C-alpha cells in the first residue's frame, strides 16, 4: 500500500498495462480480463487484476502527463514488484501518411519535459526494452496492424504557440508527440524494469501559414484500426513477452 495505491503487495501482477483514462481501464477489465478484481480505486486510478490468455495481468489508469505517470510507474516498480510495463495511449502524429489509429511503438523518447533535469551530469535518453519492442512488432505483424517504430517526443504542454519549434521534431524523424513517455521509461530504467510505450495516432499535427500547430482529423484505413486493436496488442505483449 502507498499514498496513491491501496492495493496490497501481491494483488498487482508483475505484468501490467497502463492507460490514462480510468474508464478505459474499467472497459479493458470488463471486456478482456477473466475474473478481474478491482484492487485500487484511490483518486479513480482504477487497477484491475485478472487473467488474459492464461496469464495473470493487471491494467491500471495513471492519469495524464509526466508527473502523474512518474508517481504511479515508480510505485508500481518500487513497491509492487512490477517487471513488465506496457503503456497503451494516444498521440498526435507528425507523418503525413499516418491514418487514424495507426500504432507507434516508441523506440526512444526525446522530450521538452524537465523531470530529469539536475538528475544526471548530462542528458538521459529513455528507451524501450528491445525484447518487448520485438514482441509487440511480431504480434502486430501477425495481426496485420499498421505500426511505426522509431523516436517519439514527450511534451508537458499539449497546446503550444508558434514559438514552439515543432517542425524540428518532424524534420529529425520523430513520429509523434505525447505526454508520458519520458516519465514512463525513466521510472522503468531506475528500477531495472522492462517497459514499452505504444500509442494510437488519433490526430494529425500540421501547421498553418504562421507556423502555428494545428490538429487535424485523420482518414480511416480501408481496414480501420481502433482502440481495441491497441488494447489487444498491449495485453498480448505484456502477457506473452519472455
Amino acid at each position: 500500500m502507498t499514498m496513491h495505491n491501496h492495493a496490497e503487495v501481491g494483488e498487482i501482477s508483475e505484468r501490467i498495462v497502463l492507460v490514462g483514462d480510468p474508464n478505459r481501464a474499467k472497459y479493458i477489465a470488463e471486456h478482456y480480463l477473466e475474473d478481474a478484481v478491482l484492487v485500487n480505486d484511490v483518486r479513480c486510478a482504477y487497477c484491475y487484476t485478472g487473467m488474459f490468455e492464461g496469464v495473470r495481468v493487471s491494467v491500471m489508469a495513471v492519469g495524464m502527463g509526466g508527473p502523474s505517470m512518474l508517481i504511479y510507474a515508480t510505485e508500481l516498480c518500487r513497491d509492487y514488484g512490477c517487471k513488465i510495463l506496457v503503456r497503451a495511449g494516444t498521440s498526435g502524429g507528425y507523418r503525413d501518411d499516418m491514418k487514424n489509429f495507426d500504432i507507434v511503438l516508441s523506440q526512444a523518447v526525446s522530450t521538452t519535459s524537465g523531470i530529469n533535469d539536475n538528475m544526471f551530469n548530462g542528458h538521459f535518453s529513455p528507451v524501450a526494452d528491445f525484447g518487448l519492442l520485438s514482441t509487440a512488432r511480431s504480434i502486430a505483424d501477425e495481426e496485420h496492424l499498421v505500426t511505426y517504430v522509431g523516436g517519439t517526443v514527450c511534451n508537458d504542454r499539449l497546446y503550444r504557440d508558434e514559438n514552439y519549434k515543432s517542425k524540428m521534431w518532424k524534420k529529425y524523424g520523430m513520429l509523434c508527440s505525447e505526454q508520458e513517455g519520458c516519465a514512463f521509461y525513466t521510472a522503468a530504467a531506475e528500477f531495472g524494469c522492462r517497459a514499452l510505450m505504444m500509442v494510437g495516432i488519433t490526430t494529425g499535427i500540421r501547421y498553418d501559414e504562421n507556423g502555428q500547430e494545428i490538429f487535424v482529423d485523420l482518414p480511416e484505413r480501408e481496414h480501420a484500426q481502433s482502440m481495441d486493436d491497441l488494447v489487444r496488442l498491449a495485453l498480448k505483449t505484456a502477457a506473452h513477452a519472455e
Side-chain angles (χ1 to χ4, degrees):
M1 183 179 296
T2 70
M3 292 187 292
H4 312 97
N5 193 330
H6 284 182
E8 298 293 338
V9 173
E11 291 183 329
I12 298 176
S13 171
E14 291 186 354
R15 299 168 183 260
I16 187 166
V17 173
L18 305 182
V19 298
D21 185 353
N23 288 323
R24 186 167 296 151
K26 184 173 183 288
Y27 173 86
I28 294 170
E30 291 175 346
H31 289 81
Y32 291 100
L33 298 185
E34 296 180 9
D35 302 320
V37 176
L38 178 67
V39 297
N40 181 66
D41 61 1
V42 176
R43 295 176 180 263
C44 292
Y46 299 149
C47 183
Y48 297 86
T49 299
M51 301 296 291
F52 177 79
E53 297 185 349
V55 179
R56 188 169 183 260
V57 176
S58 295
V59 59
M60 185 173 186
V62 297
M64 292 187 291
S68 185
M69 171 61 81
L70 191 59
I71 287 171
Y72 290 108
T74 294
E75 294 181 357
L76 289 169
C77 294
R78 183 192 65 194
D79 302 310
Y80 289 96
C82 294
K83 301 299 183 185
I84 293 176
L85 301 92
V86 179
R87 181 199 165 208
T90 56
S91 181
Y94 286 122
R95 288 181 54 133
D96 295 336
D97 61 345
M98 286 176 165
K99 302 294 191 295
N100 191 46
F101 252 101
D102 287 355
I103 296 172
V104 169
L105 306 178
S106 176
Q107 187 174 25
V109 176
S110 299
T111 189
T112 62
S113 173
I115 64 165
N116 287 330
D117 290 357
N118 304 314
M119 289 283 290
F120 302 90
N121 294 324
H123 297 284
F124 177 64
S125 299
V127 298
D129 175 80
F130 181 74
L132 291 179
L133 181 62
S134 298
T135 297
R137 184 56 182 265
S138 178
I139 294 170
D141 288 346
E142 292 174 0
E143 301 285 338
H144 304 292
L145 298 176
V146 177
T147 58
Y148 299 81
V149 178
T152 59
V153 58
C154 179
N155 291 288
D156 285 342
R157 285 183 176 270
L158 177 65
Y159 301 109
R160 305 177 284 262
D161 64 20
E162 65 278 5
N163 295 310
Y164 177 73
K165 297 179 176 61
S166 174
K167 287 185 177 181
M168 293 297 290
W169 296 118
K170 181 177 182 179
K171 177 180 179 180
Y172 279 77
M174 296 297 103
L175 297 173
C176 62
S177 170
E178 52 81 46
Q179 294 191 277
E180 291 83 24
C182 182
F184 179 54
Y185 283 160
T186 294
E190 181 179 359
F191 296 99
C193 299
R194 302 170 63 194
L196 174 67
M197 178 175 70
M198 56 180 71
V199 290
I201 301 300
T202 56
T203 190
I205 299 175
R206 305 293 185 264
Y207 308 95
D208 64 18
E209 62 275 9
N210 298 315
Q212 173 71 49
E213 278 188 344
I214 54 176
F215 296 149
V216 301
D217 293 333
L218 296 175
E220 301 283 352
R221 292 195 176 273
E222 181 179 356
H223 301 289
Q225 295 183 183
S226 68
M227 175 56 75
D228 282 289
D229 292 308
L230 178 69
V231 165
R232 284 191 294 270
L233 180 59
L235 287 168
K236 286 176 177 288
T237 301
H240 301 303
E242 295 181 358

